[in-house]
Every structure is written in C-alpha cells, then in structure tokens.
Amino acid sequence: QEHDLPLQPDTEVVAQCYTNIPENYTLTPQHAKELLGLWKDPAIQEAFAHRAEYHLLDSTRYFFGHLDRVALPGCVPTQQDVVHTRVKTTGIAE
C-alpha cells in the first residue's frame, strides 16, 4: 500500500540536509536537535507506524529517544545501545 506522507515545510528542509550523509559523518548536538524535529513530524511518525512496509528497524524509536545522549561528544555506548544495534537475521550463516 502506498502512503501519501508529505513532510511539514520546515522539516522538509531538514530532511533534504540529511539525504546524503557522508560515511565519516559525526553526529553533533545541533544535528540531534534537527533530527529530533524531523522525527516528530507527523509524516515520519505515520511512516514509522507502517515500519514493516518500509523495512525500518524497531530500534529506530530507541535511538531517536536517546539521540541527545548519543550525540554528545565522547559518548560511550551503553549495553542497551549495543543490544539495539543488532542486525536482523533471517537464517543461519556459517
């Protein structure tokens, strides 16, 4: 099913800034603030409600909920952070 999910004008600008993030990107507190604003956009929340259709991981909510802490310089991941970074598997790999 296709969803019409237009972003709010102010969050559309933020979204455009984060469409091509370089591999060596460093998250800053200012970036976290901008991304949290994007996360609160109704269209993003609607997309997350249909995350199975968009292949979004459940851990997305966890990391957006902890974005302020994760963006701090020198942040050391907690055990919970590590647990939430798991890669979803679909079978046994040897």
Side-chain angles (χ1 to χ4, degrees):
Q1 178 181 359
E2 196 167 314
H3 301 277
D4 183 20
L5 304 171
L7 293 171
Q8 300 294 315
D10 54 331
T11 53
E12 177 68 39
V13 172
V14 173
Q16 291 302 316
C17 292
Y18 292 97
T19 55
N20 293 310
I21 298 174
E23 196 170 308
N24 60 350
Y25 171 78
T26 300
L27 182 65
T28 67
Q30 177 59 37
H31 295 156
K33 183 179 176 182
E34 293 169 353
L35 290 168
L36 283 171
L38 184 62
W39 174 247
K40 293 175 185 175
D41 188 280
I44 298 296
Q45 290 301 305
E46 180 68 18
F48 187 75
H50 298 276
R51 64 188 166 274
E53 297 170 41
Y54 297 106
H55 305 288
L56 292 173
L57 298 176
D58 292 337
S59 62
T60 304
R61 178 177 293 163
Y62 172 83
F63 284 106
F64 271 100
H66 293 87
L67 201 53
D68 288 338
R69 176 182 56 79
V70 173
L72 292 173
C75 173
V76 175
T78 66
Q79 273 190 313
Q80 281 297 98
D81 294 343
V82 173
V83 168
H84 281 89
T85 60
R86 72 169 178 78
V87 175
K88 196 172 197 175
T89 56
T90 57
I92 298 172
E94 292 187 35

